[in-house]
Amino acid sequence: MNMRNVAIPTAVADTVRTTARSPRYGHPAHTETATGYGPCRHCLRYFVVGREQRILFTYDPFAGIEPLPLPGPIFIHAESCARYDERGGFPVDLCAHPLTLAGYSAGRVLREEVHVGAGPVEPW
């Protein structure tokens, strides 16, 4: 199985930070001090609760790839952060909490959904 961990594009994160609007939808983005650990969908790191600012906005990970939309709420750091390199393996920060991993194929077809506990994650 070829597993990739794809962060949102830097151009999307920068646009949201600059305009305070969600891409494609134009909904207002909301900035607040982190009250939960995250993760940031750009760097795939957790937020420092009570210290870091995060932006909540609507995002469709399949925009421009699939014809049917699948928008949902995501967070990014309010300050610039480095985009996670999808060739970097599974993000270490994300191993601290239980996760649901979803695998999609062409046509936005959900092929598998796996619930994993905290700890290292192996491709399935």
Side-chain angles (χ1 to χ4, degrees):
M1 178 63 62
N2 191 7
M3 185 169 100
R4 296 183 305 148
N5 304 285
V6 182
I8 66 169
T10 298
V12 171
D14 289 346
T15 297
V16 171
R17 289 179 183 120
T18 301
T19 66
R21 298 248 172 228
S22 67
R24 297 184 65 89
Y25 301 99
H27 303 146
H30 173 75
T31 302
E32 66 181 12
T33 301
T35 57
Y37 53 83
C40 170
R41 292 291 300 274
H42 185 249
C43 68
L44 302 185
R45 297 191 61 127
Y46 287 131
F47 297 100
V48 178
V49 175
R51 290 198 356 225
E52 290 184 309
Q53 293 289 298
R54 64 184 183 180
I55 303 172
L56 172 66
F57 64 99
T58 304
Y59 181 71
D60 181 359
F62 295 103
I65 300 170
E66 297 292 341
L68 297 174
L70 186 64
I74 66 169
F75 288 103
I76 60 170
H77 283 103
E79 295 295 320
S80 182
C81 57
R83 183 175 188 263
Y84 188 80
D85 181 351
E86 65 187 63
R87 297 167 296 170
F90 196 83
V92 175
D93 274 19
L94 301 187
C95 295
H97 299 279
L99 300 168
T100 299
L101 304 176
Y104 293 90
S105 66
R108 203 191 75 207
V109 175
L110 178 63
R111 292 294 183 189
E112 189 161 4
E113 190 172 79
V114 177
H115 304 278
V116 296
V121 173
E122 299 297 325
W124 71 93

